[in-house]
Amino acid sequence: MPHINIKLTSPMPSQKKLDLVAQQITQIMVNELGKTAQRVIINYEAADPDAFYFGGESVTQIKAKKSPKVAKTTKLSKTTKSTKSAKDPKTTAKVAKATKTVAKKSAKSTNPKSKKSKAKK
């Protein structure tokens, strides 16, 4: 009776995907090892990425290094949750300035005159 434990960090796959993988693993155990399908036990366990480490670094830290957008998003969400930073006039001014800059850039990119003037240069 094989008992197979599979630990995954979040996000967990859908139930449909977990079912499919369990069926495939069961078939491998039947086909390759001659086990009875009804006796194959597969257990999925969710592991907290902050408590799962490779070489002294958590999965969360490793993912943040590989994907700078994830790290920035995480930092931003932590900042926006903080009521202190939301009330800070310096933070509010920086956000307003950044919003104006983005709005100006998007207006320039959608303005047909600006494209023509760039093409002539």
Side-chain angles (χ1 to χ4, degrees), residues 30-46:
V30 169
N31 296 341
E32 300 299 324
L33 300 177
K35 300 298 179 181
T36 304
Q38 292 78 11
R39 295 288 184 192
V40 176
I41 299 168
I42 298 174
N43 179 48
Y44 292 106
E45 188 176 337

Side-chain angles (χ1 to χ4, degrees), residues 52-59 61-62 65:
F52 206 83
Y53 288 78
F54 289 94
E57 287 185 292
S58 72
V59 171
Q61 292 169 329
I62 293 167
K65 283 183 182 179

Side-chain angles (χ1 to χ4, degrees), residues 60 64 68-80:
T60 303
K69 288 182 181 179
V70 171
K72 287 179 183 177
T73 304
T74 304
K75 287 178 184 175
L76 180 62
S77 65
K78 287 180 181 176
T79 303
T80 55

Side-chain angles (χ1 to χ4, degrees), residues 4-50:
I4 302 164
N5 288 311
I6 301 171
K7 292 185 181 187
L8 300 166
T9 58
S10 61
M12 288 291 284
S14 68
Q15 187 62 49
K16 188 175 181 179
K17 183 60 107 175
L18 293 174
D19 293 345
L20 177 65
V21 171
Q23 291 167 4
Q24 291 173 340
I25 292 170
T26 299
Q27 276 310 121
I28 291 170
M29 299 305 287
V30 169
N31 296 341
E32 300 299 324
L33 300 177
K35 300 298 179 181
T36 304
Q38 292 78 11
R39 295 288 184 192
V40 176
I41 299 168
I42 298 174
N43 179 48
Y44 292 106
E45 188 176 337
D48 180 6
D50 289 327

